[in-house]
Amino acid sequence: DTRTIIARCPAPLVPLPSRGCGCGAHLEPTFRADDAAGFEVDFEALRRLPAAECQPCRFAYHKPSAGNGRCVPQQWPAIAGTSVCALVVIVVLMTFVRCVYLRRLLRLAEVERESAEKDRRIRQAVTGVTTLEFPLAVMPLSKLREQGRLVSYEEARDAGALRFCDTVESAVAFAAGLPVMFVSHQWLSRHHPDPKAQHYPAILEAAEALCARQGLDPESLHIWLDYHSIPQENTTTKRLAIGSIALYAACSHYFLACAPEALHQDSRPPCKVDADTYLQRGWCRLEQWAFMAINGSAQMYVFDSSLSQLSSRRRWIEESVNVFNGHFTHEADKALLVDVVLGLYGLAVIAALDPSVAAGRHLTGGKGPQHVPQQASPPLAGPQLTELIAERRGLIFPRQHFGDLVDRLEAELEWGARESECLARESTSPSTTYRAARTARRTLDHTGSPSHRTCSV
């Protein structure tokens, strides 16, 4: 009698060809493979094997057939993983390179915009000296006597004591027919230039002395003075008038620095002011430079105890161009003067580069009014002024205010001058800044006929 014994493997084990039980394909035992060596038909052991004895192969591992062996690593995940890593590195590098490239492009574009803005600012500063943003307002000497004191722009305007020129053409034509004196003085209080009428009689005395020296009719002399020529109450129009100060100076034949000994009323006790304190004021220096850069120094005068020529005082000439180291009541005013000073310096440079537009337009040409004396050359003209500035360049153009604007202005004008000489035709010069500077200079050099005066009362 033959009996057949059938052995069944408990799940999840499967029968093996070796008559044993083991884990199926893609499964591996939880114990080591060598622990199962020689495990054939041990039914007692089979009964003790739990259902969790086999576990799936880990990711990237496989076991193609049933058995008690361990899962082995697959080849494709390593290759794929390496490829993916390489791709990620390449993408990261490309992204980094693209970011660096785009950042560089943006930086270059920003530099180009800054450069273009600086060039525009330089051209505007140079041409701005021929732009009349606010009318030229002057007061006849006779009207100044009638006032009995220094009056504000608003008061003088309402009293009909001012004459106005609304355009550059009318201002230049007016100056071609009548003498104009540009008066500069130190204010004797914060809110009024002459509260105790200390400067007023000195201005009248200086004007009379100038008329006697130059052979002028006092009734024809007109006075430009900041308090009655620049708006005092409206900040916007006041700023416009300040921006036109170079043109006001260009339309003036004489410059007077009124600096007699006086008392400043805001200090306690009142402190003495004189020619030395006048010369320290930033605004006073700017007014001197504005006249000097365009007309030279031949017709610049100082009145302290008597009238004398400013050109005889070398220290005054040197200090007048040092505007930004002067004293300002409000430091913020310096920012307003950068473009004005830059434009004035541009006129001085163009006069030094091109003798045909040298300084002193009222003094050297034959087109000026007959009351202005003719001289061969002013004591201080374009070349001398630029040499004086070069000696003290760092102080005159502080970097915190000008940056590289002065360097760019000089480079543009010098390049334009060389190109103009080579091409022998100014209109073909590639430097628009040079052409703008020459045009501005020639506009100031041109004087109209007295018969074309169009200023209003």
Side-chain angles (χ1 to χ4, degrees), residues 141 145 179 181 205-221 307:
L141 179 58
R145 287 198 204 96
M181 182 172 71
E205 184 180 349
E208 294 288 351
L210 178 67
C211 290
R213 174 178 291 205
Q214 299 292 343
L216 303 176
D217 179 6
E219 298 300 314
S220 67
L221 184 64
L307 189 69

Side-chain angles (χ1 to χ4, degrees), residues 280-299:
Q280 299 305 314
R281 301 300 300 173
W283 281 105
C284 297
R285 293 181 178 185
L286 174 68
E287 291 170 342
Q288 292 179 72
W289 192 6
F291 188 93
M292 190 187 308
I294 299 170
N295 299 309
S297 61
Q299 296 300 328

Side-chain angles (χ1 to χ4, degrees), residues 22-91:
C23 296
H26 307 299
L27 296 174
E28 65 178 350
T30 56
F31 54 86
R32 295 194 309 240
D34 55 347
D35 292 340
F39 178 57
E40 294 292 339
V41 191
D42 188 349
F43 298 103
E44 190 64 27
L46 287 175
R47 284 193 293 269
R48 291 196 304 268
L49 284 174
E53 192 68 28
C54 295
Q55 62 183 9
C57 294
R58 291 169 294 169
F59 176 74
Y61 283 76
H62 76 124
K63 194 178 74 170
S65 59
N68 291 320
R70 305 285 289 183
C71 297
V72 296
Q74 294 178 312
Q75 295 299 323
W76 68 265
I79 298 175
T82 303
S83 301
V84 170
C85 291
L87 182 60
V88 169
V89 171
I90 292 174
V91 171

